[in-house]
Amino acid sequence: MRADPPCDRMESVTEPNSSAARAERADTDPATVAELRRVAVHLAETAAAHVRARRPEVFGPARRAAGGEGGAPDAVRTKSTPTDPVTVVDTETEELIRTRLRDLRPGERVLGEEGGGDLGTGEEIVWVVDPIDGTVNFVYGIPAYSVSVAAMRGGRSVAGAVVDVAAGATYSAGLGAGATRTDGVGDPIALRCNDIDDVRLALLATGFGYGAVRRERQGRLVAGLLPRVRDIRRIGSAALDLCMVASGRADAHYEHGLNPWDWAAGALVAAEAGARLRLPAADVTGAAGELVVAAAPGIADDLAELFDQLGISAAIPEN
């Protein structure tokens, strides 16, 4: 498992004044990393407060009575499949983040789950945003959904924050600066993966796609994997799963078909807590079905071998 998403940085070795080398220096400059991390935390916490306030307004008892089980009329629509929802709160929360970014970091690009965008050039900072990761949980009132904000450059996450909305906890990380969790009171807690060296005792987290073909394949793979590990959890938010690996609440997370906004912040949190990662390139969409893995270092090699044996390592495209 590799520690960073693939990207072309070869020229930085022999051309110290090249654009890639300048980006590399900026990525690891402590002041730059700290400022980007501060902005990511501010944006994610501001957005999480909005999500927290809006849920009872859109899905509370009075709104359910007016709009049926789905909440207020027109509160929910579908995207890729009938089981893939987006709510009015998703779209307005992403717009809130975009508006704040225009004030705080004018001119910088945004790649968001709802509003789209692109990764720009290698030297640009691009903000990769998932306004609600775990929308199904949000709709049903299951307390496992998050806001994810990451600053990426050249396909690599430089800083990021994931806020567990219901718990009020903020996970954040900066490249080379470690990862922490804070509950809003007391000092931040430094995160570290579990010290585990036996895959048979590992608790894994995973998720499933929305398309029937991919879900059927994922179900068969889980059936083969389950007898080989301690147990498997399906929380419903990849960003939170990755932070669970960082905080020792899971030993590994794996999932096919994630988009960059699903992993950009959480994968950095996991990596800075010591996890070993397998990531697609940042410009690869979830449709390709490539595998994302974050694993505690003591089981990473054995888990990769197990995934190869069971066929989990192979991509599962949408169709």
Side-chain angles (χ1 to χ4, degrees):
M1 296 180 190
R2 56 182 177 266
D4 291 306
C7 55
D8 183 8
R9 298 180 185 276
M10 292 289 290
E11 69 269 32
S12 66
V13 176
T14 56
E15 300 179 33
N17 293 317
S18 68
S19 60
R22 291 194 298 271
E24 183 81 20
R25 289 194 294 270
D27 287 352
T28 55
D29 172 61
T32 299
V33 170
E35 175 59 15
L36 293 172
R37 184 176 183 176
R38 184 193 68 79
V39 172
V41 168
H42 170 74
L43 292 170
E45 291 184 340
T46 299
H50 178 77
V51 172
R52 195 176 298 115
R54 285 289 282 147
R55 193 185 184 282
E57 296 172 356
V58 176
F59 294 102
R63 300 303 284 174
R64 286 200 302 273
E69 291 186 4
D74 301 322
V76 183
R77 56 182 176 84
T78 60
K79 294 192 293 184
S80 61
T81 73
T83 58
D84 181 12
V86 59
T87 74
V88 64
V89 185
D90 290 79
T91 54
E92 66 189 27
T93 301
E94 183 169 316
E95 184 53 39
L96 170 62
I97 294 172
R98 288 175 180 269
T99 299
R100 291 294 177 93
L101 271 170
R102 284 194 288 270
D103 294 336
L104 295 170
R105 308 279 300 188
E108 293 184 342
R109 294 176 183 263
V110 181
L111 172 61
E113 178 176 14
E114 311 307 335
D118 61 74
L119 292 170
T121 66
E123 288 196 63
E124 292 180 283
I125 289 294
V126 181
W127 294 89
V128 182
V129 174
D130 193 339
I132 304 179
D133 185 48
T135 299
V136 172
N137 288 345
F138 175 71
V139 170
Y140 278 81
I142 299 169
Y145 46 92
S146 61
V147 176
S148 175
V149 178
M152 299 188 84
R153 192 199 307 267
R156 178 168 69 168
S157 296
V158 180
V162 176
V163 176
D164 182 334
V165 178
T170 300
Y171 300 87
S172 75
L175 186 62
T180 60
R181 170 189 163 120
T182 179
D183 297 320
V185 294
D187 295 329
I189 300 169
L191 299 179
R192 202 69 192 164
C193 296
N194 283 334
D195 182 13
I196 180 174
D197 60 9
D198 190 341
V199 169
R200 296 171 299 177
L201 301 179
L203 179 65
L204 273 57
T206 193
F208 304 120
Y210 290 106
V213 173
R214 180 180 287 169
R215 291 169 72 88
E216 189 274 336
R217 173 67 175 154
Q218 289 172 318
R220 284 191 281 121
L221 292 172
V222 164
L225 178 62
L226 188 56
R228 311 286 290 272
V229 298
R230 182 190 295 272
D231 209 343
I232 295 175
R233 295 290 182 266
R234 197 278 201 253
I235 302 299
S237 167
L240 288 182
D241 282 351
L242 290 163
C243 292
M244 286 170 57
V245 175
S247 61
R249 293 180 171 180
D251 299 306
H253 167 75
Y254 79 96
E255 189 165 349
H256 294 89
L258 294 180
N259 285 292
W261 47 78
D262 298 310
W263 58 259
L268 180 64
V269 173
E272 289 295 320
R276 288 175 55 188
L277 305 182
R278 170 176 174 160
L279 299 174
D283 60 355
V284 172
T285 68
E290 291 197 23
L291 180 64
V292 168
V293 182
I299 60 169
D301 289 337
D302 289 342
L303 189 64
E305 182 177 348
L306 179 60
F307 283 175
D308 288 343
Q309 292 173 1
L310 297 175
I312 294 172
S313 300
I316 308 177
E318 278 187 345
N319 298 311

